[in-house]
Amino acid sequence: MLSSQWLVVFKWPFVGFCCFVLLTETSGASQSNDPVDARLVEGGSRCSGRLEMKYEGTWKTLTFKVTGSTSATKIKIAQVACRQMGCGSAISITHNVNHVNQRPAWEIEMMCDGTERTLRECRDTNSRRRVGRTFETESSQEVICSDSVRFGNGNSVCSGSLNVKSDNGWAPVCEEGFDSEAQKVVCKEFGCGPPTVSKDSSTPEGVPALLKKFQCKGNEARLQDCASSTHKCKQAPAITCQGSYDVRLVGGETCEGILEGKLEGEWRPLAGSLALWKAEHFNNVCEKLGCGSVLSTLKHNRYGRVWELSCWESHTNSSFCKTWMPQFSHKSMTVTCAENVRLVGGLDRCSGKLEIKSGPSWASVCQQSFTTENAQVTCAELGYTRSAMEEDCGEYRTEINCRERGEEPHMDIHTLDQDFGYRSEVVKGQRFAISCSTGSLYKPFSMRLRYEVDSDQAVEWIQPTVGKTAMFFFPAAEDAHQGYYNCDYNYEFKPDFFSKQQLLYVTVTERHDVRLVDGHSRCAGRLEVEHQKKWSSVSYQHSWSLKEAAIVCRQLSCGAAVSTSKVDNSPEVLSAWRFYSDCDGSERALMECGVVKKWSSSSTIEVVCTDILHKPNITIISGPSFTNSEGGQMISMGHSITINCSMEPQYPGGHFSVKINSLNQTHSLTQPAVNHSAVFTFTVTEGNYSCVYHNFLFNHNFSSESLSLLMNITDYIGVMLDDEDSSPCSGKLLVDVQGGLKLLSAESIVWDLKHASVVCRQLGCGSAVSTNNVTLPTKEKMARFYSDCDGSESALLDCGTTVEWFSSSYVQVNCTGQQGAPSMK
């Protein structure tokens, strides 16, 4: 069990002396009677790793509620976990996200004050619960504990009485030798700032103890690296280090990565408006990490917990920003520092005394051996371009003024049928090129063009420059060519250093420069072409053939070419385009393979494509049908149906046919078109039905087919005779009303033997012998029949309809037939 440290003094006056015993805290959780419920796994040592907690007998990673968990709360929980692991104080806790897989987790609601022996002793002050819920998560808490030193009785991770680990547990240190240099080492080991003020020791004055004495130089990484010995001495007073503001770069190289900061022991990405940040803020980061000057900063989206910074003023302790606030944000940033080169003492970050790294320190560069080419390479390494060496720099140092990265190049889009110039739009099917050029004083080595396919993928091309310009050629434009293109360039003396980028968005549009007019269809008529924003007819000349006409039909999505011919309009000569062809017939647009010039002509070109007709419509205008869940039409067996085929007015005449595909056989019925429509009535069979319109136009037969309509047959026929015995051909007459069978009311005045004959015919029961009425003692809900029948119909509801009705009499029908009727459902 972990126990507190006590200094106990025993006095025996009768023997004339006193002795003292120092009781130290035992190390590790192994002495505890309580089961261990915290551990650190997958870390570099037993005192670092992912924090897990045992609850209800199960180990799971530990997470905090999104709201309500402050950095102070988290570090105190980490303190308890470090104590259980037999380690020192908690140095840091970091929220990590694993994007590979998820782990089971306990989301805790408890709070610790940092003095508990196990996490089990921590409780939520409101709900009295330790765990709120369990779930799968990508998140985890990474904890780093000190190994052999710790703070006790302090208010934060950077203050308290210092204890060191010994063979017998944890013990204080001697005041003697624990000077400012030793305190610097301790503060550095805990990731804190330099020491500030000391507090009074809690050890009684004048009472020595057998403690460890340290002698430090100040450059040691850990207190245990200092020379030490054991002495009887007075306990050192508590110390306070400056706040634990710290920065680091993670996820990249030594001098490159996502910028993170540590406050109250918790590491988070730093976020804030870059417009408010100064160059010295980033240079402070690079300097603290032992790197050179800052090269670049890049803001990007990465949602999570961050420290939001306010940089209006420098922070008193870190000189990095005034306020750090815990937030959730999409913003974080990557910082890149030079590894071996920096400029110091200049007016801005682009000028100053040149220094290079020599081991752990920085050294000046002599001017005598430093050439202009050296300066160009140096500026490129620092992320700048051309340089100007100072004439009077002294013999032992070199000062240079660098310039920011090269200015962005100029970008143009070029097409074969347009003059050169800036455009951001190309037509689908049009070949095009993108040029990148620069007016830089230095000749660029190559141009780089990048196309952003999506946020995670880009295509890149590199071309050598000719006269500071490079051309990138593309095939016929497709939808896939639309998007953002950016261009930059590099220099031969630093090929991996590129200029600023120029961005251009290319839009790919449909080509609408041909049309067919005066033919009552967009797919037939006189050919017109748009050129230089002017529409004119095309003169019929030697180069025109069915091959060119096929391209027109393809471009207009009108199918194939049926014919093309010369049309003499009048003896009057009109302004037109003369077409010059270099087409093979496979092109998608006419102007891809030809050019036009102004011309005067009395003849024009007519083009007729296959798809000149509109699609007809098919409609059910009568019949007992309803739509099923699959979109087909359900028709009762034996019923007839009326279909209307119609067209939008386009050409006169023609005829319609109803095409029926049933049981792998095709049948058709034909009617002449009257007012652009035709009506068909027939007994329906199961299958696909469509309307086809036919017409003879432009000396060719054309047809156009409607969408198909699926007809399904149901054996529910809507009538039934029931004699409560075995004969289906006589008895009470039941008819369909609102989807169910009900007795037919005898109050229907129109009912007679003619209608009874239709029922017998529909049921396959021969002809009607008689029909009569039966009276009931009370009224019941029945069906009342309304008729428009002549007695020749094949189904009763083909010529009549029903409504619900209350009646005290119903109809009976007797037929000649004795055979079974279709089954009823």
Side-chain angles (χ1 to χ4, degrees):
M1 179 183 294
L2 298 176
S3 61
S4 300
Q5 170 189 298
W6 298 88
L7 185 65
V8 183
V9 179
F10 299 93
K11 293 183 179 181
W12 290 275
F14 53 89
V15 292
F17 73 97
C18 70
C19 70
F20 59 87
V21 180
L22 177 67
L23 302 181
T24 61
E25 180 182 321
T26 56
S27 172
S30 60
Q31 303 298 322
S32 173
N33 294 326
D34 296 322
V36 174
D37 62 351
R39 67 183 182 186
L40 300 176
V41 298
E42 298 180 6
S45 68
R46 67 182 184 87
C47 292
S48 66
R50 187 177 72 250
L51 178 57
E52 290 188 349
M53 185 178 78
K54 189 175 184 181
Y55 181 72
E56 294 180 345
T58 303
W59 287 100
K60 295 183 181 181
T61 189
L62 185 147
T63 65
F64 298 96
K65 293 184 69 174
V66 174
T67 58
S69 296
T70 65
S71 298
T73 300
K74 296 176 184 178
I75 200 66
K76 288 179 180 178
I77 290 175
Q79 293 278 31
V80 177
C82 290
R83 182 176 295 112
Q84 282 193 249
M85 299 300 295
C87 302
S89 297
I91 295 177
S92 68
I93 182 168
T94 306
H95 176 83
N96 279 350
V97 178
N98 168 28
H99 294 289
V100 178
N101 51 46
Q102 293 187 333
R103 300 185 181 93
W106 298 119
E107 183 182 76
I108 62 171
E109 296 181 349
M110 63 189 183
M111 297 180 66
C112 304
D113 60 20
T115 62
E116 293 85 355
R117 293 170 297 173
T118 66
L119 292 180
R120 178 171 296 186
E121 297 178 14
C122 303
R123 287 291 184 271
D124 184 86
T125 56
N126 296 320
S127 65
R128 312 301 295 176
R129 296 186 305 173
R130 300 172 64 224
V131 174
R133 60 174 179 147
T134 180
F135 62 105
E136 297 282 327
T137 181
E138 298 176 342
S139 301
S140 63
Q141 310 299 318
E142 305 295 323
V143 173
I144 298 177
C145 312
S146 62
D147 187 17
S148 56
V149 293
R150 74 179 186 186
F151 279 132
N153 304 322
N155 295 322
S156 73
V157 294
C158 291
S159 66
S161 299
L162 186 67
N163 291 280
V164 295
K165 201 168 189 180
S166 66
D167 295 337
N168 297 321
W170 294 90
V173 297
C174 283
E175 181 181 28
E176 182 183 353
F178 196 66
D179 54 12
S180 60
E181 298 303 322
Q183 292 177 20
K184 287 179 184 178
V185 174
V186 171
C187 291
K188 182 167 55 177
E189 185 172 354
F190 280 102
C192 304
T196 55
V197 298
S198 297
K199 300 177 182 179
D200 291 336
S201 173
S202 58
T203 305
E205 288 189 13
V207 180
L210 191 62
L211 306 176
K212 218 168 191 181
K213 174 183 174 182
F214 290 90
Q215 295 290 331
C216 300
K217 298 177 182 179
N219 59 356
E220 294 87 352
R222 302 182 311 151
L223 186 63
Q224 294 287 27
D225 295 335
C226 300
S228 64
S229 58
T230 304
H231 294 272
K232 283 187 178 182
C233 55
K234 182 181 177 182
Q235 177 181 343
I239 68 169
T240 298
C241 308
Q242 288 185 7
S244 55
Y245 284 85
D246 201 0
V247 290
R248 67 182 181 185
L249 298 176
V250 298
E253 301 295 332
T254 304
C255 295
E256 178 184 6
I258 296 173
L259 179 59
E260 289 190 350
K262 185 175 77 169
L263 174 63
E264 296 179 348
E266 183 177 7
W267 286 102
R268 294 187 181 188
L270 297 180
S273 174
L274 282 175
L276 301 179
W277 289 33
K278 301 176 182 178
E280 55 263 32
H281 294 143
F282 297 109
N283 279 324
N284 286 342
V285 173
C286 296
E287 182 179 354
K288 181 177 180 62
L289 297 173
C291 301
S293 300
V294 61
L295 296 182
S296 65
T297 59
L298 176 64
K299 184 167 67 174
H300 51 87
N301 291 335
R302 182 186 179 185
Y303 184 75
R305 299 174 173 89
V306 301
W307 295 120
E308 187 81 20
L309 307 186
S310 172
C311 296
W312 291 104
E313 301 176 22
S314 294
H315 192 277
T316 55
N317 292 333
S318 69
S319 72
F320 188 65
C321 280
K322 179 181 179 181
T323 306
W324 296 28
M325 295 294 293
Q327 296 288 349
F328 278 83
S329 175
H330 288 281
K331 300 175 183 178
S332 59
M333 63 194 70
T334 296
V335 175
T336 303
C337 311
E339 292 191 19
N340 302 306
V341 182
R342 72 182 183 183
L343 297 176
V344 296
L347 297 176
D348 53 38
R349 73 186 190 94
C350 301
S351 64
K353 183 178 69 173
L354 175 63
E355 293 184 345
I356 61 173
K357 197 167 188 180
S358 176
S361 59
W362 294 87
S364 300
V365 177
C366 294
Q367 182 191 7
Q368 290 178 337
S369 60
F370 198 76
T371 65
T372 302
E373 289 74 17
N374 297 146
Q376 290 175 345
V377 174
T378 301
C379 289
E381 186 172 352
L382 290 171
Y384 316 128
T385 56
R386 62 184 183 182
S387 64
M389 293 180 58
E390 292 289 341
E391 296 294 332
D392 186 16
C393 297
E395 183 178 357
Y396 300 106
R397 68 176 188 177
T398 297
E399 292 192 8
I400 59 175
N401 292 323
C402 299
R403 182 179 165 184
E404 288 282 358
R405 289 175 178 265
E407 293 300 320
E408 60 269 14
H410 182 73
M411 297 179 69
D412 282 320
I413 298 180
H414 311 274
T415 59
L416 297 179
D417 59 347
Q418 294 288 337
D419 295 333
F420 279 44
Y422 178 81
R423 304 169 67 236
S424 61
E425 183 179 290
V426 295
V427 178
K428 187 178 291 187
Q430 186 179 45
R431 297 178 180 91
F432 69 101
I434 296 177
S435 67
C436 299
S437 59
T438 178
S440 171
L441 296 176
Y442 298 95
K443 181 182 177 181
F445 179 66
S446 63
M447 291 282 181
R448 177 174 65 179
L449 183 70
R450 291 168 57 87
Y451 169 57
E452 299 179 10
V453 179
D454 51 45
S455 58
D456 299 323
Q457 184 181 2
V459 181
E460 181 177 295
W461 304 271
I462 296 179
Q463 290 274 18
T465 58
V466 178
K468 300 182 181 180
T469 300
M471 295 287 292
F472 299 87
F473 294 93
F474 293 84
E478 300 278 3
D479 289 333
H481 289 116
Q482 179 165 303
Y484 285 102
Y485 293 77
N486 58 64
C487 188
D488 54 12
Y489 55 90
N490 62 354
Y491 294 104
E492 189 171 8
F493 60 80
K494 188 69 173 175
D496 59 345
F497 169 69
F498 282 83
S499 69
K500 296 178 183 177
Q501 293 181 345
Q502 177 66 274
L503 188 67
L504 177 68
Y505 187 84
V506 175
T507 303
V508 178
T509 62
E510 295 287 343
R511 186 186 283 272
H512 300 292
D513 55 358
V514 299
R515 66 187 182 189
L516 300 175
V517 298
D518 299 336
H520 303 290
S521 169
R522 56 177 293 273
C523 296
R526 175 168 48 85
L527 174 63
E528 287 189 348
V529 169
E530 183 190 35
H531 180 60
Q532 296 177 346
K533 299 184 179 180
K534 180 183 178 182
W535 286 96
S536 288
S537 300
V538 179
S539 172
Y540 190 89
Q541 297 294 328
H542 304 290
S543 63
W544 189 261
S545 67
L546 194 64
K547 177 177 60 178
E548 284 75 21
I551 300 172
V552 172
C553 294
R554 186 180 303 120
Q555 183 175 347
L556 294 174
S557 300
C558 288
V562 175
S563 66
T564 184
S565 59
K566 175 182 179 182
V567 177
D568 292 317
N569 296 317
S570 68
E572 182 181 359
V573 176
L574 301 175
S575 176
W577 297 123
R578 181 172 181 176
F579 181 76
Y580 298 84
S581 176
D582 188 27
C583 305
D584 63 13
S586 64
E587 293 83 2
R588 290 170 297 183
L590 185 65
M591 298 306 293
E592 282 185 33
C593 57
V595 295
V596 294
K597 292 185 177 181
K598 289 183 180 180
W599 197 252
S600 296
S601 176
S602 61
S603 65
T604 57
I605 296 173
E606 181 184 75
V607 175
V608 179
C609 308
T610 54
D611 299 344
I612 68 171
L613 296 175
H614 299 320
K615 280 188 176 294
N617 300 312
I618 181 170
T619 310
I620 298 175
I621 58 175
S622 69
S625 68
F626 60 91
T627 303
N628 63 13
S629 59
E630 287 77 27
Q633 298 293 316
M634 298 296 296
I635 309 294
S636 298
M637 181 184 296
H639 281 259
S640 62
I641 195 169
T642 301
I643 286 179
N644 180 54
C645 296
S646 62
M647 284 277 290
E648 293 181 16
Q650 191 178 10
Y651 298 101
H655 63 277
F656 286 95
S657 61
V658 172
K659 187 169 71 173
I660 307 167
N661 290 317
S662 177
L663 300 176
N664 297 323
Q665 295 182 346
T666 302
H667 310 279
S668 64
L669 306 171
T670 302
Q671 293 274 12
V674 179
N675 293 327
H676 309 288
S677 65
V679 176
F680 300 84
T681 300
F682 47 85
T683 301
V684 72
T685 58
E686 193 164 80
N688 284 291
Y689 288 66
S690 61
C691 289
V692 183
Y693 176 69
H694 310 265
N695 210 336
F696 186 77
L697 305 164
F698 303 102
N699 298 316
H700 289 82
N701 287 311
F702 292 89
S703 62
S704 178
E705 186 173 354
S706 71
L707 298 174
S708 63
L709 191 65
L710 176 62
M711 300 286 189
N712 296 302
I713 304 300
T714 175
D715 54 7
Y716 178 81
I717 60 176
V719 295
M720 177 182 179
L721 293 176
D722 180 16
D723 67 349
E724 299 179 355
D725 199 356
S726 60
S727 174
C729 292
S730 64
K732 306 173 187 177
L733 175 59
L734 292 88
V735 296
D736 180 83
V737 57
Q738 297 182 356
L741 291 173
K742 287 185 171 55
L743 291 171
L744 182 65
S745 169
E747 295 181 20
S748 298
I749 299 173
V750 297
W751 185 261
D752 56 15
L753 195 62
K754 173 182 67 176
H755 295 91
S757 297
V758 176
V759 172
C760 293
R761 186 181 306 119
Q762 183 176 356
L763 293 174
C765 291
S767 58
V769 176
S770 63
T771 181
N772 57 285
N773 303 338
V774 177
T775 302
L776 298 174
T778 59
K779 288 187 176 184
E780 296 181 6
K781 186 181 290 187
M782 300 184 186
R784 183 168 181 174
F785 182 73
Y786 295 84
S787 173
D788 188 29
C789 304
D790 63 11
S792 63
E793 292 81 7
S794 59
L796 181 65
L797 295 181
D798 280 353
C799 58
T801 187
T802 59
V803 297
E804 284 190 337
W805 193 259
F806 283 93
S807 177
S808 59
S809 61
Y810 63 87
V811 172
Q812 278 189 334
V813 173
N814 298 304
C815 306
T816 58
Q818 300 296 323
Q819 300 302 316
S823 62
M824 297 279 126
K825 291 185 182 178

